[in-house]
Structures are given as C-alpha cells and as structure tokens.
Amino acid sequence: MTPDYEKAWSDLNVRLRAVEQGSGLVSAMQELETFHLRSGFIRDDLQDVERRAFYHPDDRTRFFRVQYNPRRAQRFAGSGRSHERHISSNDGCFLCRDNIELQQQGNQLGYQIESGDRSYFALTNPFPLLPVHIVIASREHIPQEWGFRDPAGLGADVLMRDAVAFADRMPGHVVFYNGVDAGASIPRHLHFQCVARPGNEGPFPLEVAAEDAGGQVDGPGMVARYPLEAAVWKGPAADVTARASDWVVRWGARNRRRLDDLSANIIASRAQDGEGIVLYFVPRSRSHQRPAGFSGLIGGLEVLGEIVLSSPDDKARLDAGAIDYFVLEAILASVSTPIETG
Ligand SMILES: [Zn+2]
C-alpha cells in the first residue's frame, strides 16, 4: 500500500474507533457510509428505489416486499474497478485489502472490527440495497465456502457465532451470510453483509412469519407458513450461539449424505423489541439456486422476503401487474429445501 493510502485508512480507523466507543458500532458504520457517500464512492443514494408490499388476499400477516433498484444492475461493472491482476494478491480478489487500493484507486477505506475470534474489515457497498449496506470481509483471505464442504472455510457453527456477534452490536440492522450457491457473489473470500432495516416499513416478511415459531429454549423453532424452511433461535446472544452451534454440528452429521448439495443463508438480528437475538438458518440446495423466470440471485435479503428486481424486464412485469403475492411465493418456494429428510 502507498503511504498516503495507509495514512488515510489509519486516520479513518482512529476516528471511527472513537465514534464506536462513544456511541456504538451503528454510529461508526453510519459514519463510514457518510464518508463514502461524500467521496462519491457509493454510487447510489437509493433515491430511485421503489419498494412495494404484496399481501396474501386472505391474510394480511403474509406478505412479501419487492424492491425495484435499477442501479443494482450496474454492480457487476464495479465502482471504477480496474483489473490489475498482474500485480495483485490472490488473483485480484475484490475483498483483499492489498487489492482494494488498486481496484478502487484509493477511494475505498475500510474499518477494522473484531468478532471476538477474528478480524474483519467493514467496507461500504458501492451499489447498496438498503442504507448502511456494509460488507464485513474477513481480514484474511479465506473462502466463503463453509467447512462442511471446504476444510479451509469456517464451520457453520463459527459462521453463526460471528453473525450473532456483529448483529448483537447493530440494533436496527440485519447481518447475513450467503453461502456459495446461495446468493454469494464473491465466493473466494469470506464476508458477511449488514443492512439497515428499511425506514418505516417494519419487520421483514420472514420475521413476521417467525413471530410464533418458538425457538426460545433447546432446539430451534421451525417457521411455518413461509415458502422456505427456516430454523430459528431466539434469546440472549450467548445462549442463541451455544444452542445453534450445537444444533448445526449435529444437523451436519445427520445430513451427511446430502451435504455436498447443501449451502445456506444464516441471518441474525437484534430482536425487534431490542431484547436478545433472533438467528435464522435456511439450508439451500446448490442444484436449485436460481428460480425460473427471475433474473436475480436469491440471497439473504430475498430469504427475508424482500425480492430485489433490477432489470427493465422486471420493471415491465411490475408495472403490468404481473407480480403478486403468489408469484413471489413461487420464486422463494422454488429454491426451498427441507431442513431434515427421512
Ligand atoms: Zn481475498
């Protein structure tokens, strides 16, 4: 890294550390976002995003949201990314710090945060889905793949622990891990994502469906009346981590024979009332990762019930009234896989 970049990074970290110590991690993340909005690195202030809810005709507690986000379609062009692979680390990995300076011409700075067990860099997303859309990338270049499939990846229990550790410090936000073939767009480097809950729109559809699912003691509750099978734990952070970690290791052993086809979304947030943590585990089939007739990937936000549309075709369908509750339910149902079999 150049001395100038090193200094800018270090100055920002000193400043954000003081913000975090004074008013918490959410304030530090908001400040990181403000910094990159002002610099122009974040290309979308989300003013163009349209969000609509579609309710079940007979039951207003069942609904999905659609977000039409035209800027999102540009994200694979990157934000001024250059591809200087010949002088970069790990084949130009977008989440390795040595490459970030080159690829983003020094415009992106990260904030180092600890999960308790390891270090991460919080990085703003140039094409956000929601306010405070932060990528929490491992400081080390380790794979996104979980340990069930790649011994170099973190175990599912460790992924849950780190997701809960960050969520516990981010009230009003949702932290998620998208497994490989379950929405992860950068499979080579471990990362979580964090988003703020959308303004005035209340909980996500999965959160509403999980309200009476149990999961406060012992094993997980199972979310009913939702197109995806989801296990849920609720309670104090340490208790949720202990129960869920224990469960997922045994789940892996029970499902050994189909594990090669499985990935997952892991989602954690502070409970809506602020008391404790809610943690979701949604297994995903690698052979059914892309629903028919839908242009996007199904990642953590879609699993929560907010479907991101970004193509002109999607917009035309939305405007023509061709999207309703049942269309959205079918999109999610088409990637559902059972938590247990046999
Ligand atoms: Zn990397």
Side-chain angles (χ1 to χ4, degrees):
M1 286 187 291
T2 63
D4 281 355
Y5 186 69
E6 192 97 65
K7 180 167 190 319
W9 182 294
S10 155
D11 287 351
L12 182 70
N13 273 260
V14 167
R15 187 158 68 79
L16 295 187
R17 191 75 59 216
V19 171
E20 182 179 352
Q21 280 163 1
S23 25
L25 184 57
V26 169
S27 299
M29 294 294 205
Q30 287 167 341
E31 191 60 30
L32 181 68
E33 179 186 49
T34 302
F35 176 87
H36 286 106
L37 275 167
R38 286 201 185 121
S39 78
F41 175 75
I42 301 179
R43 302 297 184 88
D44 186 358
D45 58 9
L46 298 171
Q47 292 297 315
D48 294 338
V49 170
E50 246 180 88
R51 189 177 278 107
R52 284 172 59 187
F54 294 87
Y55 294 88
H56 188 287
D58 304 321
D59 183 352
R60 297 281 294 180
T61 66
R62 300 172 73 176
F63 68 105
F64 301 106
R65 281 202 295 253
V66 159
Q67 168 185 145
Y68 176 64
N69 186 334
R71 304 295 298 272
R72 205 46 198 170
Q74 302 166 10
R75 72 191 181 282
F76 294 117
S79 181
R81 280 172 178 161
S82 61
H83 296 271
E84 300 180 55
R85 286 174 188 256
H86 54 293
I87 48 165
S88 62
S89 314
N90 293 314
D91 196 27
C93 172
F94 292 136
L95 295 179
C96 277
R97 178 161 69 157
D98 289 348
N99 300 334
I100 288 172
E101 179 187 7
L102 297 170
Q103 288 163 349
Q104 313 296 355
Q105 287 99 41
N107 293 319
Q108 183 170 37
L109 301 173
Y111 176 51
Q112 185 169 334
I113 55 176
E114 317 295 326
S115 67
D117 294 325
R118 75 204 88 251
S119 296
Y120 289 84
F121 294 135
L123 301 163
T124 52
N125 189 318
F127 296 100
L129 292 169
L130 284 165
V132 200
H133 188 170
I134 304 286
V135 175
I136 303 174
S138 159
R139 181 175 175 148
E140 307 301 326
H141 180 79
I142 54 175
Q144 182 77 352
E145 190 63 88
W146 61 1
F148 284 138
R149 172 115 160 189
D150 182 345
L154 297 186
D157 53 331
V158 180
L159 294 168
M160 286 173 157
R161 184 158 74 226
D162 282 3
V164 168
F166 291 129
D168 197 35
R169 293 156 64 191
M170 296 285 295
H173 293 64
V174 176
V175 174
F176 54 91
Y177 161 85
N178 291 336
V180 175
D181 299 326
S185 51
I186 304 179
R188 293 193 293 158
H189 189 127
L190 174 64
H191 60 287
F192 294 85
Q193 298 185 62
C194 164
V195 292
R197 285 175 193 290
N200 306 317
E201 300 179 54
F204 287 103
L206 173 62
E207 297 179 299
V208 175
E211 274 168 11
D212 52 7
Q216 286 91 347
V217 288
D218 302 329
M222 295 294 162
V223 178
R225 301 193 314 150
Y226 200 71
L228 292 162
E229 288 205 17
V232 60
W233 296 262
K234 301 170 188 173
D239 171 59
V240 162
T241 299
R243 286 189 289 125
S245 310
D246 183 49
W247 178 88
V248 82
V249 170
R250 287 185 286 113
W251 173 86
R254 279 199 302 281
N255 289 276
R256 200 170 48 244
R257 263 181 292 184
R258 65 183 187 120
L259 216 44
D260 255 3
D261 181 52
L262 293 181
S263 182
N265 301 103
I266 294 168
I267 302 168
S269 67
R270 282 276 279 272
Q272 295 276 308
D273 59 12
E275 294 297 317
I277 285 285
V278 184
L279 172 68
Y280 301 89
F281 174 77
V282 179
R284 296 281 304 277
S285 164
R286 293 175 196 261
S287 37
H288 297 98
Q289 51 170 309
R290 272 187 185 274
F294 172 65
S295 62
L297 293 172
I298 302 292
L301 191 61
E302 287 78 9
V303 165
L304 281 160
E306 181 158 324
I307 311 294
V308 180
L309 305 179
S310 58
S311 74
D313 280 359
D314 291 338
K315 173 68 170 159
R317 289 176 72 200
L318 192 60
D319 289 346
I323 290 176
D324 63 13
Y325 174 89
F326 297 102
V327 167
L328 300 169
E329 182 182 51
I331 287 174
L332 292 180
S334 73
V335 302
S336 181
T337 197
I339 293 174
E340 309 283 356
T341 52

